[in-house]
Amino acid sequence: DAKTTQPTSMDCAEGRAANLPCNHSTISGNEYVYWYRQIHSQGPQYIIHGLKNNETNEMASLIITEDRKSSTLILPHATLRDTAVYYCIVRPPTGTASKLTFGTGTRLQVTL
Amino acid sequence: GAVVSQHPSRVICKSGTSVKIECRSLDFQATTMFWYRQFPKQSLMLMATSNEGSKATYEQGVEKDKFLINHASLTLSTLTVTSAHPEDSSFYICSAQRGGGHYEQYFGPGTRLTVT
């Protein structure tokens, strides 16, 4: 699976947009970009995923560059409850290789 | 959304005993379930992949005789840590994946195992 690189930690003021970058320069053409987050001592929570086009749901937006070598997860109005470790994962679409490989993620701290 | 539960949420056991952890998909059928382990301040590490009705596939370095996995139905997988030792103390997390073209994994809340 393609590897991802994320900053170790980021801070964001409550109410502001949190932009979390991810580099995946070795991504293959059929691999998806997935984002999960893990709040302390809980199981990971699915946020969003995409292949080529930008995606938006009730939680976040995912912006994927045209060359697909990087992406940005945007939390439009961060709250204290968004404090968590955010994982960017590149994943093949089907089969047994669809397992998720978690990297170290970005620890997002939302502050007042 | 899809809900996955784990039981127990916390367990303390003595060294040498066995512990069983259950993972259930509550509102969907999971053709595949995954078991992860997470040590403090580390990321999740996949232990094994479990398909309903067949033997689990273990990741390299994970002892299949120590971590017994049973996926007897489309809504239940169990992980049994046999002859537990203090170094097995960890946060164990399962996830469930639907079939039929849906590949999102939905995670359980995790089980904190402490071996004394």
Side-chain angles (χ1 to χ4, degrees), chain B residues 10-49:
Chain B
R10 293 177 178 270
V11 57
I12 301 172
C13 71
K14 292 187 176 181
S15 187
T17 62
S18 296
V19 175
K20 180 185 284 188
I21 302 169
E22 293 186 348
C23 176
R24 294 181 185 272
S25 55
L26 299 184
D27 52 1
F28 67 99
Q29 292 186 326
T31 55
T32 306
M33 289 185 169
F34 302 84
W35 286 96
Y36 296 81
R37 180 168 54 182
Q38 185 175 33
F39 292 107
K41 298 190 178 183
Q42 294 187 21
S43 189
L44 284 78
M45 295 297 294
L46 180 66
M47 299 175 67
T49 302

PDB file of all heavy atoms in Angstrom, chain B residues 10-49:
ATOM      1  N   ARG B  10     -13.709  -3.274  29.333  1.00  0.00           N
ATOM      2  CA  ARG B  10     -12.481  -3.366  30.128  1.00  0.00           C
ATOM      3  C   ARG B  10     -12.426  -4.736  30.785  1.00  0.00           C
ATOM      4  O   ARG B  10     -13.457  -5.266  31.196  1.00  0.00           O
ATOM      5  CB  ARG B  10     -12.443  -2.317  31.240  1.00  0.00           C
ATOM      6  CG  ARG B  10     -12.333  -0.898  30.790  1.00  0.00           C
ATOM      7  CD  ARG B  10     -12.371   0.041  31.981  1.00  0.00           C
ATOM      8  NE  ARG B  10     -12.227   1.429  31.583  1.00  0.00           N
ATOM      9  CZ  ARG B  10     -11.056   2.048  31.480  1.00  0.00           C
ATOM     10  NH1 ARG B  10      -9.950   1.395  31.775  1.00  0.00           N
ATOM     11  NH2 ARG B  10     -11.007   3.301  31.099  1.00  0.00           N
ATOM     12  N   VAL B  11     -11.247  -5.286  30.870  1.00  0.00           N
ATOM     13  CA  VAL B  11     -11.089  -6.556  31.565  1.00  0.00           C
ATOM     14  C   VAL B  11      -9.707  -6.613  32.195  1.00  0.00           C
ATOM     15  O   VAL B  11      -8.715  -6.188  31.585  1.00  0.00           O
ATOM     16  CB  VAL B  11     -11.334  -7.763  30.628  1.00  0.00           C
ATOM     17  CG1 VAL B  11     -10.397  -7.730  29.425  1.00  0.00           C
ATOM     18  CG2 VAL B  11     -11.230  -9.068  31.365  1.00  0.00           C
ATOM     19  N   ILE B  12      -9.696  -7.106  33.417  1.00  0.00           N
ATOM     20  CA  ILE B  12      -8.434  -7.341  34.127  1.00  0.00           C
ATOM     21  C   ILE B  12      -8.352  -8.829  34.412  1.00  0.00           C
ATOM     22  O   ILE B  12      -9.304  -9.411  34.940  1.00  0.00           O
ATOM     23  CB  ILE B  12      -8.368  -6.544  35.445  1.00  0.00           C
ATOM     24  CG1 ILE B  12      -8.497  -5.047  35.162  1.00  0.00           C
ATOM     25  CG2 ILE B  12      -7.062  -6.844  36.189  1.00  0.00           C
ATOM     26  CD1 ILE B  12      -8.628  -4.201  36.418  1.00  0.00           C
ATOM     27  N   CYS B  13      -7.257  -9.440  34.049  1.00  0.00           N
ATOM     28  CA  CYS B  13      -7.132 -10.873  34.299  1.00  0.00           C
ATOM     29  C   CYS B  13      -5.738 -11.179  34.842  1.00  0.00           C
ATOM     30  O   CYS B  13      -4.818 -10.367  34.717  1.00  0.00           O
ATOM     31  CB  CYS B  13      -7.398 -11.675  33.031  1.00  0.00           C
ATOM     32  SG  CYS B  13      -6.114 -11.555  31.782  1.00  0.00           S
ATOM     33  N   LYS B  14      -5.625 -12.348  35.413  1.00  0.00           N
ATOM     34  CA  LYS B  14      -4.338 -12.763  35.967  1.00  0.00           C
ATOM     35  C   LYS B  14      -3.504 -13.444  34.902  1.00  0.00           C
ATOM     36  O   LYS B  14      -4.032 -14.073  33.966  1.00  0.00           O
ATOM     37  CB  LYS B  14      -4.555 -13.695  37.155  1.00  0.00           C
ATOM     38  CG  LYS B  14      -5.175 -13.004  38.353  1.00  0.00           C
ATOM     39  CD  LYS B  14      -5.215 -13.916  39.561  1.00  0.00           C
ATOM     40  CE  LYS B  14      -5.762 -13.166  40.783  1.00  0.00           C
ATOM     41  NZ  LYS B  14      -5.789 -14.023  41.988  1.00  0.00           N
ATOM     42  N   SER B  15      -2.219 -13.339  35.050  1.00  0.00           N
ATOM     43  CA  SER B  15      -1.295 -13.953  34.113  1.00  0.00           C
ATOM     44  C   SER B  15      -1.550 -15.457  34.017  1.00  0.00           C
ATOM     45  O   SER B  15      -1.757 -16.126  35.039  1.00  0.00           O
ATOM     46  CB  SER B  15       0.141 -13.691  34.570  1.00  0.00           C
ATOM     47  OG  SER B  15       1.061 -14.127  33.614  1.00  0.00           O
ATOM     48  N   GLY B  16      -1.602 -15.964  32.800  1.00  0.00           N
ATOM     49  CA  GLY B  16      -1.822 -17.385  32.573  1.00  0.00           C
ATOM     50  C   GLY B  16      -3.252 -17.745  32.256  1.00  0.00           C
ATOM     51  O   GLY B  16      -3.523 -18.862  31.787  1.00  0.00           O
ATOM     52  N   THR B  17      -4.169 -16.833  32.467  1.00  0.00           N
ATOM     53  CA  THR B  17      -5.565 -17.109  32.156  1.00  0.00           C
ATOM     54  C   THR B  17      -5.886 -16.665  30.735  1.00  0.00           C
ATOM     55  O   THR B  17      -5.085 -15.994  30.081  1.00  0.00           O
ATOM     56  CB  THR B  17      -6.511 -16.415  33.137  1.00  0.00           C
ATOM     57  OG1 THR B  17      -6.323 -14.996  33.031  1.00  0.00           O
ATOM     58  CG2 THR B  17      -6.225 -16.853  34.565  1.00  0.00           C
ATOM     59  N   SER B  18      -7.062 -17.066  30.259  1.00  0.00           N
ATOM     60  CA  SER B  18      -7.504 -16.701  28.910  1.00  0.00           C
ATOM     61  C   SER B  18      -8.650 -15.716  28.978  1.00  0.00           C
ATOM     62  O   SER B  18      -9.457 -15.749  29.916  1.00  0.00           O
ATOM     63  CB  SER B  18      -7.933 -17.947  28.137  1.00  0.00           C
ATOM     64  OG  SER B  18      -6.840 -18.815  27.936  1.00  0.00           O
ATOM     65  N   VAL B  19      -8.715 -14.863  28.006  1.00  0.00           N
ATOM     66  CA  VAL B  19      -9.746 -13.827  27.954  1.00  0.00           C
ATOM     67  C   VAL B  19     -10.392 -13.829  26.568  1.00  0.00           C
ATOM     68  O   VAL B  19      -9.688 -13.859  25.563  1.00  0.00           O
ATOM     69  CB  VAL B  19      -9.139 -12.432  28.221  1.00  0.00           C
ATOM     70  CG1 VAL B  19     -10.175 -11.353  28.036  1.00  0.00           C
ATOM     71  CG2 VAL B  19      -8.552 -12.372  29.609  1.00  0.00           C
ATOM     72  N   LYS B  20     -11.708 -13.758  26.544  1.00  0.00           N
ATOM     73  CA  LYS B  20     -12.429 -13.709  25.275  1.00  0.00           C
ATOM     74  C   LYS B  20     -13.056 -12.338  25.096  1.00  0.00           C
ATOM     75  O   LYS B  20     -13.706 -11.815  25.996  1.00  0.00           O
ATOM     76  CB  LYS B  20     -13.524 -14.774  25.217  1.00  0.00           C
ATOM     77  CG  LYS B  20     -14.322 -14.754  23.898  1.00  0.00           C
ATOM     78  CD  LYS B  20     -15.475 -15.726  23.900  1.00  0.00           C
ATOM     79  CE  LYS B  20     -15.003 -17.149  23.715  1.00  0.00           C
ATOM     80  NZ  LYS B  20     -16.141 -18.079  23.532  1.00  0.00           N
ATOM     81  N   ILE B  21     -12.863 -11.770  23.919  1.00  0.00           N
ATOM     82  CA  ILE B  21     -13.439 -10.472  23.571  1.00  0.00           C
ATOM     83  C   ILE B  21     -14.392 -10.681  22.407  1.00  0.00           C
ATOM     84  O   ILE B  21     -14.038 -11.322  21.414  1.00  0.00           O
ATOM     85  CB  ILE B  21     -12.344  -9.469  23.172  1.00  0.00           C
ATOM     86  CG1 ILE B  21     -11.328  -9.302  24.315  1.00  0.00           C
ATOM     87  CG2 ILE B  21     -12.957  -8.124  22.805  1.00  0.00           C
ATOM     88  CD1 ILE B  21     -10.082  -8.527  23.906  1.00  0.00           C
ATOM     89  N   GLU B  22     -15.592 -10.127  22.524  1.00  0.00           N
ATOM     90  CA  GLU B  22     -16.594 -10.265  21.468  1.00  0.00           C
ATOM     91  C   GLU B  22     -16.711  -8.979  20.655  1.00  0.00           C
ATOM     92  O   GLU B  22     -16.632  -7.877  21.205  1.00  0.00           O
ATOM     93  CB  GLU B  22     -17.968 -10.593  22.061  1.00  0.00           C
ATOM     94  CG  GLU B  22     -18.062 -11.951  22.703  1.00  0.00           C
ATOM     95  CD  GLU B  22     -19.482 -12.264  23.129  1.00  0.00           C
ATOM     96  OE1 GLU B  22     -20.340 -11.347  23.127  1.00  0.00           O
ATOM     97  OE2 GLU B  22     -19.739 -13.430  23.472  1.00  0.00           O
ATOM     98  N   CYS B  23     -16.937  -9.151  19.368  1.00  0.00           N
ATOM     99  CA  CYS B  23     -17.160  -8.027  18.466  1.00  0.00           C
ATOM    100  C   CYS B  23     -18.433  -8.321  17.680  1.00  0.00           C
ATOM    101  O   CYS B  23     -18.521  -9.368  17.026  1.00  0.00           O
ATOM    102  CB  CYS B  23     -15.973  -7.874  17.525  1.00  0.00           C
ATOM    103  SG  CYS B  23     -16.166  -6.589  16.266  1.00  0.00           S
ATOM    104  N   ARG B  24     -19.389  -7.415  17.754  1.00  0.00           N
ATOM    105  CA  ARG B  24     -20.667  -7.621  17.070  1.00  0.00           C
ATOM    106  C   ARG B  24     -21.015  -6.438  16.166  1.00  0.00           C
ATOM    107  O   ARG B  24     -20.857  -5.286  16.556  1.00  0.00           O
ATOM    108  CB  ARG B  24     -21.805  -7.789  18.077  1.00  0.00           C
ATOM    109  CG  ARG B  24     -21.730  -9.029  18.916  1.00  0.00           C
ATOM    110  CD  ARG B  24     -22.911  -9.140  19.869  1.00  0.00           C
ATOM    111  NE  ARG B  24     -22.774 -10.277  20.764  1.00  0.00           N
ATOM    112  CZ  ARG B  24     -23.188 -11.500  20.486  1.00  0.00           C
ATOM    113  NH1 ARG B  24     -23.796 -11.748  19.330  1.00  0.00           N
ATOM    114  NH2 ARG B  24     -23.013 -12.475  21.352  1.00  0.00           N
ATOM    115  N   SER B  25     -21.479  -6.764  14.962  1.00  0.00           N
ATOM    116  CA  SER B  25     -22.059  -5.738  14.112  1.00  0.00           C
ATOM    117  C   SER B  25     -23.560  -5.749  14.393  1.00  0.00           C
ATOM    118  O   SER B  25     -24.218  -6.771  14.230  1.00  0.00           O
ATOM    119  CB  SER B  25     -21.766  -6.028  12.637  1.00  0.00           C
ATOM    120  OG  SER B  25     -22.203  -7.318  12.266  1.00  0.00           O
ATOM    121  N   LEU B  26     -24.083  -4.632  14.849  1.00  0.00           N
ATOM    122  CA  LEU B  26     -25.450  -4.612  15.383  1.00  0.00           C
ATOM    123  C   LEU B  26     -26.534  -4.419  14.329  1.00  0.00           C
ATOM    124  O   LEU B  26     -27.654  -4.897  14.497  1.00  0.00           O
ATOM    125  CB  LEU B  26     -25.570  -3.527  16.454  1.00  0.00           C
ATOM    126  CG  LEU B  26     -24.656  -3.707  17.673  1.00  0.00           C
ATOM    127  CD1 LEU B  26     -24.935  -2.616  18.701  1.00  0.00           C
ATOM    128  CD2 LEU B  26     -24.814  -5.076  18.288  1.00  0.00           C
ATOM    129  N   ASP B  27     -26.230  -3.715  13.269  1.00  0.00           N
ATOM    130  CA  ASP B  27     -27.296  -3.410  12.312  1.00  0.00           C
ATOM    131  C   ASP B  27     -26.900  -3.713  10.872  1.00  0.00           C
ATOM    132  O   ASP B  27     -27.510  -3.196   9.936  1.00  0.00           O
ATOM    133  CB  ASP B  27     -27.734  -1.955  12.454  1.00  0.00           C
ATOM    134  CG  ASP B  27     -26.563  -1.001  12.393  1.00  0.00           C
ATOM    135  OD1 ASP B  27     -25.409  -1.452  12.221  1.00  0.00           O
ATOM    136  OD2 ASP B  27     -26.781   0.218  12.508  1.00  0.00           O
ATOM    137  N   PHE B  28     -25.880  -4.544  10.715  1.00  0.00           N
ATOM    138  CA  PHE B  28     -25.532  -4.961   9.360  1.00  0.00           C
ATOM    139  C   PHE B  28     -24.779  -6.284   9.446  1.00  0.00           C
ATOM    140  O   PHE B  28     -24.294  -6.674  10.504  1.00  0.00           O
ATOM    141  CB  PHE B  28     -24.681  -3.905   8.641  1.00  0.00           C
ATOM    142  CG  PHE B  28     -23.300  -3.696   9.229  1.00  0.00           C
ATOM    143  CD1 PHE B  28     -22.187  -4.295   8.663  1.00  0.00           C
ATOM    144  CD2 PHE B  28     -23.128  -2.896  10.340  1.00  0.00           C
ATOM    145  CE1 PHE B  28     -20.922  -4.098   9.199  1.00  0.00           C
ATOM    146  CE2 PHE B  28     -21.864  -2.690  10.889  1.00  0.00           C
ATOM    147  CZ  PHE B  28     -20.753  -3.290  10.313  1.00  0.00           C
ATOM    148  N   GLN B  29     -24.695  -6.951   8.336  1.00  0.00           N
ATOM    149  CA  GLN B  29     -23.958  -8.210   8.276  1.00  0.00           C
ATOM    150  C   GLN B  29     -22.539  -7.940   7.795  1.00  0.00           C
ATOM    151  O   GLN B  29     -22.339  -7.287   6.762  1.00  0.00           O
ATOM    152  CB  GLN B  29     -24.670  -9.187   7.345  1.00  0.00           C
ATOM    153  CG  GLN B  29     -26.009  -9.643   7.896  1.00  0.00           C
ATOM    154  CD  GLN B  29     -26.642 -10.725   7.045  1.00  0.00           C
ATOM    155  OE1 GLN B  29     -26.493 -10.743   5.832  1.00  0.00           O
ATOM    156  NE2 GLN B  29     -27.348 -11.642   7.685  1.00  0.00           N
ATOM    157  N   ALA B  30     -21.587  -8.428   8.541  1.00  0.00           N
ATOM    158  CA  ALA B  30     -20.177  -8.178   8.248  1.00  0.00           C
ATOM    159  C   ALA B  30     -19.537  -9.425   7.655  1.00  0.00           C
ATOM    160  O   ALA B  30     -19.356 -10.422   8.348  1.00  0.00           O
ATOM    161  CB  ALA B  30     -19.449  -7.763   9.516  1.00  0.00           C
ATOM    162  N   THR B  31     -19.203  -9.339   6.393  1.00  0.00           N
ATOM    163  CA  THR B  31     -18.538 -10.492   5.788  1.00  0.00           C
ATOM    164  C   THR B  31     -17.098 -10.611   6.257  1.00  0.00           C
ATOM    165  O   THR B  31     -16.537 -11.699   6.295  1.00  0.00           O
ATOM    166  CB  THR B  31     -18.562 -10.373   4.251  1.00  0.00           C
ATOM    167  OG1 THR B  31     -17.974  -9.118   3.882  1.00  0.00           O
ATOM    168  CG2 THR B  31     -19.974 -10.432   3.714  1.00  0.00           C
ATOM    169  N   THR B  32     -16.519  -9.477   6.633  1.00  0.00           N
ATOM    170  CA  THR B  32     -15.138  -9.469   7.093  1.00  0.00           C
ATOM    171  C   THR B  32     -15.021  -8.644   8.366  1.00  0.00           C
ATOM    172  O   THR B  32     -15.627  -7.566   8.459  1.00  0.00           O
ATOM    173  CB  THR B  32     -14.194  -8.874   6.026  1.00  0.00           C
ATOM    174  OG1 THR B  32     -14.367  -9.571   4.797  1.00  0.00           O
ATOM    175  CG2 THR B  32     -12.738  -8.983   6.461  1.00  0.00           C
ATOM    176  N   MET B  33     -14.287  -9.170   9.310  1.00  0.00           N
ATOM    177  CA  MET B  33     -13.978  -8.417  10.525  1.00  0.00           C
ATOM    178  C   MET B  33     -12.474  -8.399  10.720  1.00  0.00           C
ATOM    179  O   MET B  33     -11.772  -9.322  10.301  1.00  0.00           O
ATOM    180  CB  MET B  33     -14.679  -9.023  11.740  1.00  0.00           C
ATOM    181  CG  MET B  33     -16.186  -8.798  11.745  1.00  0.00           C
ATOM    182  SD  MET B  33     -16.960  -9.403  13.263  1.00  0.00           S
ATOM    183  CE  MET B  33     -18.586  -8.707  13.120  1.00  0.00           C
ATOM    184  N   PHE B  34     -12.003  -7.344  11.334  1.00  0.00           N
ATOM    185  CA  PHE B  34     -10.575  -7.164  11.549  1.00  0.00           C
ATOM    186  C   PHE B  34     -10.328  -6.961  13.045  1.00  0.00           C
ATOM    187  O   PHE B  34     -11.135  -6.351  13.742  1.00  0.00           O
ATOM    188  CB  PHE B  34     -10.068  -5.927  10.792  1.00  0.00           C
ATOM    189  CG  PHE B  34     -10.309  -5.969   9.302  1.00  0.00           C
ATOM    190  CD1 PHE B  34     -11.529  -5.577   8.779  1.00  0.00           C
ATOM    191  CD2 PHE B  34      -9.311  -6.382   8.430  1.00  0.00           C
ATOM    192  CE1 PHE B  34     -11.769  -5.604   7.415  1.00  0.00           C
ATOM    193  CE2 PHE B  34      -9.535  -6.401   7.053  1.00  0.00           C
ATOM    194  CZ  PHE B  34     -10.762  -6.019   6.548  1.00  0.00           C
ATOM    195  N   TRP B  35      -9.181  -7.435  13.494  1.00  0.00           N
ATOM    196  CA  TRP B  35      -8.769  -7.213  14.882  1.00  0.00           C
ATOM    197  C   TRP B  35      -7.464  -6.433  14.904  1.00  0.00           C
ATOM    198  O   TRP B  35      -6.500  -6.789  14.213  1.00  0.00           O
ATOM    199  CB  TRP B  35      -8.598  -8.541  15.621  1.00  0.00           C
ATOM    200  CG  TRP B  35      -9.921  -9.181  15.949  1.00  0.00           C
ATOM    201  CD1 TRP B  35     -10.577 -10.139  15.231  1.00  0.00           C
ATOM    202  CD2 TRP B  35     -10.746  -8.891  17.073  1.00  0.00           C
ATOM    203  NE1 TRP B  35     -11.763 -10.455  15.849  1.00  0.00           N
ATOM    204  CE2 TRP B  35     -11.889  -9.714  16.979  1.00  0.00           C
ATOM    205  CE3 TRP B  35     -10.638  -8.033  18.170  1.00  0.00           C
ATOM    206  CZ2 TRP B  35     -12.907  -9.693  17.930  1.00  0.00           C
ATOM    207  CZ3 TRP B  35     -11.652  -8.016  19.105  1.00  0.00           C
ATOM    208  CH2 TRP B  35     -12.776  -8.837  18.979  1.00  0.00           C
ATOM    209  N   TYR B  36      -7.464  -5.366  15.706  1.00  0.00           N
ATOM    210  CA  TYR B  36      -6.304  -4.507  15.845  1.00  0.00           C
ATOM    211  C   TYR B  36      -5.874  -4.483  17.316  1.00  0.00           C
ATOM    212  O   TYR B  36      -6.650  -4.732  18.220  1.00  0.00           O
ATOM    213  CB  TYR B  36      -6.630  -3.072  15.426  1.00  0.00           C
ATOM    214  CG  TYR B  36      -6.998  -2.880  13.976  1.00  0.00           C
ATOM    215  CD1 TYR B  36      -8.285  -3.148  13.525  1.00  0.00           C
ATOM    216  CD2 TYR B  36      -6.068  -2.396  13.059  1.00  0.00           C
ATOM    217  CE1 TYR B  36      -8.644  -2.956  12.205  1.00  0.00           C
ATOM    218  CE2 TYR B  36      -6.408  -2.196  11.730  1.00  0.00           C
ATOM    219  CZ  TYR B  36      -7.693  -2.475  11.312  1.00  0.00           C
ATOM    220  OH  TYR B  36      -8.033  -2.278   9.993  1.00  0.00           O
ATOM    221  N   ARG B  37      -4.625  -4.118  17.501  1.00  0.00           N
ATOM    222  CA  ARG B  37      -4.089  -3.923  18.852  1.00  0.00           C
ATOM    223  C   ARG B  37      -3.409  -2.564  18.872  1.00  0.00           C
ATOM    224  O   ARG B  37      -2.762  -2.169  17.888  1.00  0.00           O
ATOM    225  CB  ARG B  37      -3.093  -5.040  19.182  1.00  0.00           C
ATOM    226  CG  ARG B  37      -2.464  -4.952  20.550  1.00  0.00           C
ATOM    227  CD  ARG B  37      -1.732  -6.240  20.885  1.00  0.00           C
ATOM    228  NE  ARG B  37      -0.767  -6.623  19.868  1.00  0.00           N
ATOM    229  CZ  ARG B  37      -0.040  -7.722  19.932  1.00  0.00           C
ATOM    230  NH1 ARG B  37      -0.178  -8.567  20.946  1.00  0.00           N
ATOM    231  NH2 ARG B  37       0.823  -8.007  18.977  1.00  0.00           N
ATOM    232  N   GLN B  38      -3.571  -1.857  19.978  1.00  0.00           N
ATOM    233  CA  GLN B  38      -2.971  -0.526  20.088  1.00  0.00           C
ATOM    234  C   GLN B  38      -2.327  -0.374  21.451  1.00  0.00           C
ATOM    235  O   GLN B  38      -3.023  -0.393  22.472  1.00  0.00           O
ATOM    236  CB  GLN B  38      -4.019   0.559  19.874  1.00  0.00           C
ATOM    237  CG  GLN B  38      -3.460   1.970  19.843  1.00  0.00           C
ATOM    238  CD  GLN B  38      -4.531   3.000  19.510  1.00  0.00           C
ATOM    239  OE1 GLN B  38      -5.694   2.843  19.870  1.00  0.00           O
ATOM    240  NE2 GLN B  38      -4.132   4.073  18.825  1.00  0.00           N
ATOM    241  N   PHE B  39      -1.013  -0.211  21.460  1.00  0.00           N
ATOM    242  CA  PHE B  39      -0.289   0.052  22.701  1.00  0.00           C
ATOM    243  C   PHE B  39      -0.304   1.555  22.965  1.00  0.00           C
ATOM    244  O   PHE B  39      -0.517   2.356  22.051  1.00  0.00           O
ATOM    245  CB  PHE B  39       1.137  -0.491  22.602  1.00  0.00           C
ATOM    246  CG  PHE B  39       1.190  -1.996  22.550  1.00  0.00           C
ATOM    247  CD1 PHE B  39       1.507  -2.662  21.374  1.00  0.00           C
ATOM    248  CD2 PHE B  39       0.895  -2.757  23.669  1.00  0.00           C
ATOM    249  CE1 PHE B  39       1.546  -4.046  21.318  1.00  0.00           C
ATOM    250  CE2 PHE B  39       0.928  -4.141  23.624  1.00  0.00           C
ATOM    251  CZ  PHE B  39       1.240  -4.787  22.450  1.00  0.00           C
ATOM    252  N   PRO B  40      -0.075   1.947  24.217  1.00  0.00           N
ATOM    253  CA  PRO B  40      -0.154   3.373  24.580  1.00  0.00           C
ATOM    254  C   PRO B  40       0.710   4.250  23.685  1.00  0.00           C
ATOM    255  O   PRO B  40       1.868   3.932  23.402  1.00  0.00           O
ATOM    256  CB  PRO B  40       0.332   3.386  26.031  1.00  0.00           C
ATOM    257  CG  PRO B  40      -0.020   2.036  26.546  1.00  0.00           C
ATOM    258  CD  PRO B  40       0.193   1.100  25.387  1.00  0.00           C
ATOM    259  N   LYS B  41       0.108   5.332  23.230  1.00  0.00           N
ATOM    260  CA  LYS B  41       0.781   6.339  22.415  1.00  0.00           C
ATOM    261  C   LYS B  41       1.289   5.792  21.084  1.00  0.00           C
ATOM    262  O   LYS B  41       2.188   6.378  20.470  1.00  0.00           O
ATOM    263  CB  LYS B  41       1.913   6.993  23.194  1.00  0.00           C
ATOM    264  CG  LYS B  41       1.423   7.729  24.434  1.00  0.00           C
ATOM    265  CD  LYS B  41       2.497   8.569  25.075  1.00  0.00           C
ATOM    266  CE  LYS B  41       1.921   9.317  26.272  1.00  0.00           C
ATOM    267  NZ  LYS B  41       2.903  10.210  26.909  1.00  0.00           N
ATOM    268  N   GLN B  42       0.742   4.671  20.656  1.00  0.00           N
ATOM    269  CA  GLN B  42       1.111   4.126  19.360  1.00  0.00           C
ATOM    270  C   GLN B  42      -0.123   4.032  18.468  1.00  0.00           C
ATOM    271  O   GLN B  42      -1.258   4.228  18.920  1.00  0.00           O
ATOM    272  CB  GLN B  42       1.752   2.742  19.515  1.00  0.00           C
ATOM    273  CG  GLN B  42       3.088   2.778  20.245  1.00  0.00           C
ATOM    274  CD  GLN B  42       3.780   1.425  20.233  1.00  0.00           C
ATOM    275  OE1 GLN B  42       3.504   0.571  19.392  1.00  0.00           O
ATOM    276  NE2 GLN B  42       4.674   1.214  21.170  1.00  0.00           N
ATOM    277  N   SER B  43       0.123   3.739  17.208  1.00  0.00           N
ATOM    278  CA  SER B  43      -0.978   3.615  16.267  1.00  0.00           C
ATOM    279  C   SER B  43      -1.586   2.215  16.339  1.00  0.00           C
ATOM    280  O   SER B  43      -1.083   1.337  17.034  1.00  0.00           O
ATOM    281  CB  SER B  43      -0.470   3.901  14.860  1.00  0.00           C
ATOM    282  OG  SER B  43      -1.549   3.985  13.957  1.00  0.00           O
ATOM    283  N   LEU B  44      -2.684   2.031  15.637  1.00  0.00           N
ATOM    284  CA  LEU B  44      -3.309   0.719  15.577  1.00  0.00           C
ATOM    285  C   LEU B  44      -2.480  -0.208  14.703  1.00  0.00           C
ATOM    286  O   LEU B  44      -2.004   0.177  13.631  1.00  0.00           O
ATOM    287  CB  LEU B  44      -4.713   0.799  14.961  1.00  0.00           C
ATOM    288  CG  LEU B  44      -5.837   1.355  15.822  1.00  0.00           C
ATOM    289  CD1 LEU B  44      -5.779   2.858  15.901  1.00  0.00           C
ATOM    290  CD2 LEU B  44      -7.185   0.903  15.271  1.00  0.00           C
ATOM    291  N   MET B  45      -2.337  -1.446  15.158  1.00  0.00           N
ATOM    292  CA  MET B  45      -1.633  -2.457  14.383  1.00  0.00           C
ATOM    293  C   MET B  45      -2.598  -3.594  14.087  1.00  0.00           C
ATOM    294  O   MET B  45      -3.190  -4.165  15.003  1.00  0.00           O
ATOM    295  CB  MET B  45      -0.437  -2.990  15.159  1.00  0.00           C
ATOM    296  CG  MET B  45       0.642  -1.959  15.419  1.00  0.00           C
ATOM    297  SD  MET B  45       1.388  -1.347  13.883  1.00  0.00           S
ATOM    298  CE  MET B  45       2.178  -2.826  13.296  1.00  0.00           C
ATOM    299  N   LEU B  46      -2.747  -3.913  12.818  1.00  0.00           N
ATOM    300  CA  LEU B  46      -3.643  -5.003  12.437  1.00  0.00           C
ATOM    301  C   LEU B  46      -3.063  -6.335  12.898  1.00  0.00           C
ATOM    302  O   LEU B  46      -1.888  -6.620  12.662  1.00  0.00           O
ATOM    303  CB  LEU B  46      -3.832  -5.014  10.920  1.00  0.00           C
ATOM    304  CG  LEU B  46      -4.737  -6.107  10.361  1.00  0.00           C
ATOM    305  CD1 LEU B  46      -6.179  -5.910  10.832  1.00  0.00           C
ATOM    306  CD2 LEU B  46      -4.676  -6.124   8.839  1.00  0.00           C
ATOM    307  N   MET B  47      -3.905  -7.121  13.558  1.00  0.00           N
ATOM    308  CA  MET B  47      -3.487  -8.446  14.011  1.00  0.00           C
ATOM    309  C   MET B  47      -3.929  -9.530  13.031  1.00  0.00           C
ATOM    310  O   MET B  47      -3.166 -10.418  12.692  1.00  0.00           O
ATOM    311  CB  MET B  47      -4.088  -8.752  15.381  1.00  0.00           C
ATOM    312  CG  MET B  47      -3.679  -7.806  16.483  1.00  0.00           C
ATOM    313  SD  MET B  47      -4.547  -8.174  18.009  1.00  0.00           S
ATOM    314  CE  MET B  47      -3.854  -9.775  18.413  1.00  0.00           C
ATOM    315  N   ALA B  48      -5.192  -9.452  12.634  1.00  0.00           N
ATOM    316  CA  ALA B  48      -5.723 -10.525  11.797  1.00  0.00           C
ATOM    317  C   ALA B  48      -6.984 -10.066  11.084  1.00  0.00           C
ATOM    318  O   ALA B  48      -7.664  -9.138  11.516  1.00  0.00           O
ATOM    319  CB  ALA B  48      -6.032 -11.754  12.647  1.00  0.00           C
ATOM    320  N   THR B  49      -7.251 -10.753   9.995  1.00  0.00           N
ATOM    321  CA  THR B  49      -8.465 -10.539   9.204  1.00  0.00           C
ATOM    322  C   THR B  49      -9.306 -11.793   9.301  1.00  0.00           C
ATOM    323  O   THR B  49      -8.797 -12.917   9.115  1.00  0.00           O
ATOM    324  CB  THR B  49      -8.114 -10.270   7.738  1.00  0.00           C
ATOM    325  OG1 THR B  49      -7.246  -9.133   7.667  1.00  0.00           O
ATOM    326  CG2 THR B  49      -9.357 -10.020   6.910  1.00  0.00           C
TER     327      THR B  49
END
